[in-house]
Amino acid sequence: MNREILFRAKCSGVWRYGSYVHFDKKPTHNCYNCNYKDFIVTNEEDGEHYYPITDLSSIGQYTGFKDKNGRKIFEGDILEYIGKRKDNMNKVYRRKVVFHEGMFALLSKELQAYSVLKHHCMEDGRSAWRVIGNIHDNPELIE
């Protein structure tokens, strides 16, 4: 496989990035907090760490695309684009990144329409849009 599989989630108020693991039963091995079933697993210099996900709604997958500044785009991010054509010069567009019908898409709140994220990206996988926040830390950006 030649794509990066990466997740992020809030773990005790801190964003963690790594693999997502869900246990159907509570883990029996020594772990940070065995009261949880969902974890972000990271590989750090001092070994593997299991961080319990304290906000399940914050789990988001990396889309495989980066914004115009090279920042990774995750499910739940809020992207912004400023119009450059004659008919939309300086108009500000904001969209939420969602997974919809088997694809990552941008959701337009005002139109209630989905637009395939890949259609907004160049050949190098970078988007003309930029990440300005996410729906968990900055919900006011999309309201």
Side-chain angles (χ1 to χ4, degrees), residues 43-60:
N43 290 310
E44 299 171 18
E45 287 182 18
D46 61 342
E48 188 176 81
H49 294 274
Y50 285 70
Y51 293 100
I53 300 172
T54 52
D55 181 0
L56 292 178
S57 70
S58 72
I59 299 170

Side-chain angles (χ1 to χ4, degrees), residues 78-95:
I78 299 170
L79 303 185
E80 180 179 81
Y81 176 79
I82 299 174
K84 299 192 181 352
R85 296 186 322 245
K86 194 175 188 180
D87 62 332
N88 71 353
M89 187 64 69
N90 296 321
K91 181 173 180 184
V92 176
Y93 298 90
R94 290 186 176 170
R95 303 288 186 264

Side-chain angles (χ1 to χ4, degrees), residues 60-73:
Q61 186 175 7
Y62 172 49
T63 64
F65 299 108
K66 295 180 179 178
D67 75 356
K68 71 180 194 173
N69 299 318
R71 184 173 173 184
K72 290 180 179 179
I73 300 173

Side-chain angles (χ1 to χ4, degrees), residues 6-7 10 29 50 53 63 66 69 95 119 126 128 131:
L6 183 66
F7 288 85
K10 281 224 170 168
H29 63 284
Y50 285 70
I53 300 172
T63 64
K66 295 180 179 178
N69 299 318
R95 303 288 186 264
H119 293 168
R126 288 176 56 175
V131 175

